[in-house]
Amino acid sequence: MENRVNYFKNIEPDWVARHFQEHIKGSFHGSLGIQILKLEQGHCISYVDIHPGVTNHIGSLHGGFLYTIADTTAGFAAVPLGTGITVTTIDGHMQFLRPTVGVKRIYAEAETTKDGKRIIFADLKIYADDGRLLSTGSFTFSL
């Protein structure tokens, strides 16, 4: 998986990613430090530089923080770009695969798996800066 993270590290945010980054400035998502690297229809890559406010008492990333990053990234992948339509999470499941003590940056990558008329499904993976797969998730969104 390290090759995937090397790919992420070489991405320069495009216009769409920068536009959405401006959109979340000053919001809950923005306060967590989420940065959108790539955003296209059905696909989103984000990252967050880890800071003490998102860890628990043992120095591991808080599960709620990871869930929020996953939900946000998957939600951006699910948004029908250029339509003005937004999505709302109606279901989400996470699998926390490895401890996250000492992680300095995480990358999240989401892809939609089915776009319906009213419901969109997306899968997501979160990686540590060293390439380890930390978490996976599946999300369902309503249009």
Side-chain angles (χ1 to χ4, degrees), residues 1-12 37-38 40 43 45 107 109:
M1 290 300 147
E2 189 170 339
N3 289 339
R4 195 75 188 140
V5 171
N6 286 337
Y7 165 72
F8 298 152
K9 290 177 181 178
N10 290 314
I11 295 175
E12 289 293 326
L37 276 177
K38 184 174 185 177
E40 55 193 21
H43 185 235
I45 300 171
Y107 293 91
E109 182 175 28

Side-chain angles (χ1 to χ4, degrees), residues 11-40 44-49 69 72-73 76-77 79 81 105-106 108:
I11 295 175
E12 289 293 326
D14 59 15
W15 179 87
V16 177
R18 289 192 308 272
H19 172 75
F20 271 76
Q21 191 66 49
E22 267 307 301
H23 181 70
I24 64 170
K25 198 181 223 177
S27 71
F28 173 66
H29 307 81
S31 72
L32 294 175
I34 189 167
Q35 300 291 311
I36 308 298
L37 276 177
K38 184 174 185 177
L39 181 59
E40 55 193 21
C44 183
I45 300 171
S46 68
Y47 76 89
V48 179
D49 288 322
I69 300 308
T72 301
T73 304
F76 280 142
V79 168
L81 297 177
R105 176 181 277 186
I106 59 170

Side-chain angles (χ1 to χ4, degrees), residues 79-94:
V79 168
L81 297 177
T83 65
I85 296 172
T86 59
V87 298
T88 301
T89 307
I90 57 175
D91 189 39
H93 298 273
M94 290 285 297

